[in-house]
Amino acid sequence: MGDAVPPLRPPYTKPPKGASPVHAPVLVAAVIDLTEVSRQGSYVDATAGAGGHTQALLDAGAARVLALDADPDAVARLRDRFNDDPRVSPVQANFRDLARVAPAHGFDRADGVIFDLGLSSDQLDDPSRGFSFQHDGPLDMRFDPNCGRPALDLVNHLPEPELAELLRRYGDERRAGRIARRIVQRRPMTSTAVLAATVKRAIPGRQRIHPATRTFQALRMAVNDELGALTAGLQAAHDLAAPDGRVAVIAFHSHEDRIVKHRFRAWAAAGTAEILTRSPLRADAAEVTANRRARSAKLRAARLTLTH
Ligand SMILES: C[S@@+](CC[C@H](N)C(=O)[O-])C[C@H]1O[C@@H](n2cnc3c(N)ncnc32)[C@H](O)[C@@H]1O
């Protein structure tokens, strides 16, 4: 029997303009603690999103914050939220370009750079962005919709072995081969709902998480080259940080956390940084109960020791 795929239903709904952000920041107190925010300090929030960590930096006394996000919608909301605050500079940019972007906005040095990786609840909840298998939407998934190839290109044009490898590498998907085969048989994938239904049919039966979870995560990571951006962004943060400056990173899955751990170790071995978190800090039970996103968050921080 053929797959009864849901019909394509554009235009996809978008939250009303000016809707308040719903993203709840994670591990805020720990990030601020490890960053040791000082009153004259300049800070970079490399993933400003809805502005929760930026606000916490300001509340802790930061003199100024460069609030970056790759997503133009997020930056528009940041401009609204911090409208009258001369301490905040919201800028639309990818943190992989931090080495160029920070000095261009008057940040030649930073006393701290924080990264809160992945996507925000505001992005996940916006069907028009295509991040979620829970809503029908276009297969986009780009943090910056003006840059790079949308997920649609990958799912409809990658050869089957490459698609399987992508799902395996970025999603740790054990059934990558079956899923890739089914996607290729059922092409074209026209929307998130069509893709989610196709994956579900490829791996039937009861599962702990929605069967399309890993496929969507893998595609998002590939579309945005998230691991490549993280590697470049960490190096830029290292080079931008003032002596005694901090780099703090919240990661949400093992690939990201491994990159952070290895970069910090390499800095420590080279004598340019001291690792402040022997093992990653996790959210406590109360935070996880209040905010499900916090359950997989891992926070690592380093203190830069070298004068550049
Ligand atoms: C988890 S959210 C950050 C939430 C934020 N800390 C807050 O308190 O609202 C991650 C944000 O990082 C952005 N992002 C992801 N990768 C990026 C990159 N390479 N460069 C810039 N922003 C990025 C996403 O667009 C998203 O808004």
Side-chain angles (χ1 to χ4, degrees), residues 23-26 45-54 68-71 74 93-96 116-120 123 143 224 226 229 252 293:
H23 183 86
V26 304
D45 184 348
T47 52
H53 287 101
T54 296
L68 293 190
D69 205 289
D71 181 345
N94 194 304
F95 60 60
R96 73 188 315 149
D116 175 17
L117 301 171
L119 81 170
S120 71
Q123 291 165 324
F143 291 137
N224 295 292
E226 291 182 36
F252 290 87
R293 282 187 70 254

Side-chain angles (χ1 to χ4, degrees), residues 93-117:
N94 194 304
F95 60 60
R96 73 188 315 149
D97 300 322
L98 188 60
R100 177 177 56 75
V101 172
H105 290 86
F107 286 70
D108 293 324
R109 281 274 167 264
D111 297 292
V113 182
I114 63 177
F115 297 83
D116 175 17
L117 301 171

Side-chain angles (χ1 to χ4, degrees), residues 207-227:
Q207 284 154 61
R208 199 174 48 83
I209 55 173
H210 188 289
T213 307
R214 293 174 190 281
T215 296
F216 273 64
Q217 175 195 302
L219 284 167
R220 194 202 82 215
M221 290 185 69
V223 161
N224 295 292
D225 183 25
E226 291 182 36
L227 302 183

Side-chain angles (χ1 to χ4, degrees), residues 40 93 218:
Q40 290 79 36

